Amino acid sequence: MPSERHKKIAENSLLLKSFSPEMQQMVLQASSWRTYERGETLFLQGEKAHAIHIVMDGWIKLYRIAPNGGEAVVSVFTKGESFGEAVAFRGQAYPVSAEAVTACEVMRIPSTAILEGMRKDPEISISVLASTFAHLHSLVSQLEQLKAQTGPQRVAEFLLDLCENETGECEVTLPYDKFLIAGKLGMKPESLSRSFARLKSAGVKINRNHAEIENIDRLRAFSETDPVEAWHKGC
């Protein structure tokens, strides 16, 4: 059974937070919980989807293998984020593979449990649509960032999304493989390293796989600065 902490994470996830307490309990009881070591596979591209996943701890990457054999990282997910909704509800094949990039814990929800909940409470469909829309909005935001923000600003936004509090200082955990962050943000690894270095002026200190943020408001202000001004500040 999940710990109280993990139940809280699941209940506050975008997918489940709009469910009634009764429906949340039903989904929790129908779900399974598993730990994965770094490098373990959750599912492979082409497998039929039967479940939705919510990350409790750690990092998961979704990737595709290109015809030339190269790996393309589609997205990365961390605590409280869900993935696999669209294909699971339709019983389609996964268009990507999923792999643990750190030791992690994952909640696996059978798609049948959510579908049963929809039949009992149509309001659940709204929550599911909200979760699906959030994934789409994330992709749109990434495109916007590529066109309108500097590299350091994109990294700042990424760190802000990981913060558990709104103000003050914060420390967030990053995957050891910084290539994943670079891929998510549309950057080269060397550009990511330079961006981390430039964020020192915004009160960010990188210590191995941890980012220590001195002041969240200060970092947010940096991320919202005019790109030209932000570039000069970072130089």
Side-chain angles (χ1 to χ4, degrees), residues 66-135:
N68 64 3
E71 179 183 294
V73 177
V74 175
S75 192
V76 292
F77 295 90
T78 190
K79 185 171 64 176
E81 297 180 328
S82 60
F83 55 92
E85 293 94 330
V87 290
F89 290 137
R90 300 185 65 184
Q92 296 181 330
Y94 287 114
V96 294
S97 297
E99 181 183 302
V101 294
T102 65
C104 58
E105 296 181 75
V106 178
M107 173 184 177
R108 183 183 184 277
I109 308 172
S111 54
T112 52
I114 302 293
L115 291 171
E116 181 182 345
M118 288 180 179
R119 297 185 188 100
K120 293 180 178 179
D121 183 0
E123 288 293 319
I124 289 179
S125 300
I126 297 175
S127 182
V128 172
L129 283 173
S131 178
T132 303
F133 174 78
H135 292 313

Side-chain angles (χ1 to χ4, degrees), residues 185-197:
L185 300 178
M187 305 168 67
K188 293 181 178 179
E190 56 268 27
S191 298
L192 178 67
S193 296
R194 288 195 294 269
S195 294
F196 276 136

Side-chain angles (χ1 to χ4, degrees), residues 7-232:
K7 285 183 181 179
K8 192 78 170 178
I9 294 171
E11 290 167 357
N12 289 331
S13 68
L14 181 61
L15 180 63
L16 300 184
K17 67 180 180 181
S18 297
F19 287 23
S20 67
E22 294 76 20
M23 292 310 303
Q24 286 183 343
Q25 189 60 30
M26 184 272 288
V27 170
L28 288 170
Q29 290 178 346
S31 300
S32 57
W33 307 70
R34 182 177 166 183
T35 58
Y36 292 88
E37 295 300 321
R38 182 181 179 184
E40 275 198 83
T41 297
L42 280 74
F43 54 77
L44 293 171
Q45 181 178 333
E47 288 182 7
K48 191 172 182 179
H50 297 289
I52 302 155
H53 300 80
I54 300 178
V55 184
M56 298 290 105
D57 278 305
W59 290 81
I60 299 288
K61 73 174 178 181
L62 302 186
Y63 67 95
R64 288 177 62 89
I65 300 299
N68 64 3
E71 179 183 294
V73 177
V74 175
S75 192
V76 292
F77 295 90
T78 190
K79 185 171 64 176
E81 297 180 328
S82 60
F83 55 92
E85 293 94 330
V87 290
F89 290 137
R90 300 185 65 184
Q92 296 181 330
Y94 287 114
V96 294
S97 297
E99 181 183 302
V101 294
T102 65
C104 58
E105 296 181 75
V106 178
M107 173 184 177
R108 183 183 184 277
I109 308 172
S111 54
T112 52
I114 302 293
L115 291 171
E116 181 182 345
M118 288 180 179
R119 297 185 188 100
K120 293 180 178 179
D121 183 0
E123 288 293 319
I124 289 179
S125 300
I126 297 175
S127 182
V128 172
L129 283 173
S131 178
T132 303
F133 174 78
H135 292 313
L136 176 61
H137 182 70
S138 176
L139 292 173
V140 173
S141 295
Q142 287 178 40
L143 289 173
E144 181 182 4
Q145 289 171 359
L146 286 172
K147 293 180 178 293
Q149 290 185 314
T150 66
Q153 284 181 304
R154 274 180 265 161
V155 177
E157 289 273 6
F158 175 75
L159 294 177
L160 288 167
D161 286 341
L162 296 176
C163 292
E164 294 187 351
N165 42 304
E166 294 294 323
T167 60
E169 62 181 6
C170 183
E171 181 177 307
V172 299
T173 303
L174 306 171
Y176 280 102
D177 188 351
K178 301 301 188 295
F179 172 79
L180 294 170
I181 302 175
K184 178 179 175 66
L185 300 178
M187 305 168 67
K188 293 181 178 179
E190 56 268 27
S191 298
L192 178 67
S193 296
R194 288 195 294 269
S195 294
F196 276 136
R198 289 176 178 174
L199 285 179
K200 288 181 181 178
S201 64
V204 176
K205 180 181 178 181
I206 303 299
N207 183 14
R208 294 180 64 117
N209 70 321
H210 291 85
E212 299 171 8
I213 300 168
E214 189 176 282
N215 187 291
I216 291 175
D217 289 328
R218 181 182 172 189
L219 184 61
R220 186 177 294 111
F222 176 88
S223 73
E224 295 172 351
T225 302
D226 178 85
V228 175
E229 184 182 347
W231 186 86
H232 285 297

